Amino acid sequence: MKSMNTSLTPQAPATEPAATAVTAASTSAPAALTPRSLLKQLQTQFPAFRDFLPLSIGIDKQILAVMPELDRKTMRTALGIHTGSLRYLKVMEKAKVRHDLDGTAGAEVTDTHRAHATQVLQDRFKKEAERKKAERDAAAAEEAARVRADKLNQLTAKFSRKG
C-alpha cells in the first residue's frame, strides 16, 4: 500500500504549479495574442480599423503608444492581414485621405499607393480566375476520362459476348 501512496504523493504538488502556470498565462494575455485576435480587438476599439479606412503612415507607432504591451511582430502581422484584405484594398483603390486610429483625416493617399492597391487586386483576381479555370479543366479532363473508360468497358463487353 505504501508504494501506492508514494506514487500519488508527487502528483498532488505537481498539479498546483500547473494551476499557477495557467493563471500566470491568463494574466499575460496581451503577450499571447494571436494576430487575428489582435486584429479583432483593433477593429472593436478603433474606427479606422472597424470601417476599413485607409490607415495613416506610421499607424504602428500610434498603436504602440496606446497599447505599449503589444508584441511588435504580432502587431505587424495583424496590420499585414488588415491591409492585405480585399475590403481594405478596394477602399484604398478609391481613397483620397488616410486616417488616424480615431478616424480623423490625415495625409493624402498618393497615386502610387492607389495604383499599388489596384495592381494587387488585379493580381489576386487573375490568380483566382486561373485557379478556377484549372479546377474546371481538371474536372473536364476527369469527366472525359470517365466517359472514355465507360465506352471502352462497353466495347469490351460487346465484343467479349460474340467471341
Side-chain angles (χ1 to χ4, degrees):
M1 288 286 195
K2 279 192 173 185
S3 62
M4 293 177 104
N5 279 339
T6 57
S7 65
L8 292 176
T9 307
Q11 291 177 356
T15 56
E16 290 174 25
T20 56
V22 170
T23 55
S26 62
T27 57
S28 64
L33 277 177
T34 65
R36 294 219 181 260
S37 63
L38 174 60
L39 184 56
K40 291 285 184 192
Q41 180 181 348
L42 292 173
Q43 288 172 342
T44 57
Q45 199 169 352
F46 302 110
F49 281 92
R50 180 180 51 244
D51 302 333
F52 286 86
L53 300 174
L55 299 174
S56 65
I57 307 249
I59 196 84
D60 56 335
K61 292 171 187 71
Q62 292 177 23
I63 294 170
L64 285 174
V66 175
M67 307 166 96
E69 74 281 356
L70 282 181
D71 176 45
R72 286 177 184 262
K73 185 176 179 182
T74 304
M75 181 199 54
R76 289 190 188 273
T77 304
L79 284 172
I81 293 169
H82 180 74
T83 57
S85 71
L86 191 64
R87 190 170 169 189
Y88 183 83
L89 289 170
K90 284 184 176 182
V91 168
M92 271 300 285
E93 195 174 29
K94 298 173 182 140
K96 302 285 184 212
V97 181
R98 294 182 175 276
H99 298 272
D100 291 337
L101 282 179
D102 58 359
T104 58
E108 282 188 34
V109 176
T110 63
D111 291 336
T112 307
H113 291 151
R114 274 193 294 275
H116 175 73
T118 302
Q119 185 62 45
V120 170
L121 285 171
Q122 287 174 349
D123 291 346
R124 272 203 200 155
F125 292 144
K126 182 180 177 183
K127 196 178 282 187
E128 181 66 15
E130 289 171 356
R131 185 188 64 77
K132 285 183 179 180
K133 184 181 183 307
E135 283 179 1
R136 283 193 307 270
D137 292 347
E142 188 177 309
E143 179 64 18
R146 188 189 62 76
V147 167
R148 185 173 184 268
D150 285 348
K151 285 185 178 183
L152 284 174
N153 287 338
Q154 289 173 357
L155 284 173
T156 55
K158 178 179 177 182
F159 288 109
S160 66
R161 285 188 218 147
K162 292 184 178 182

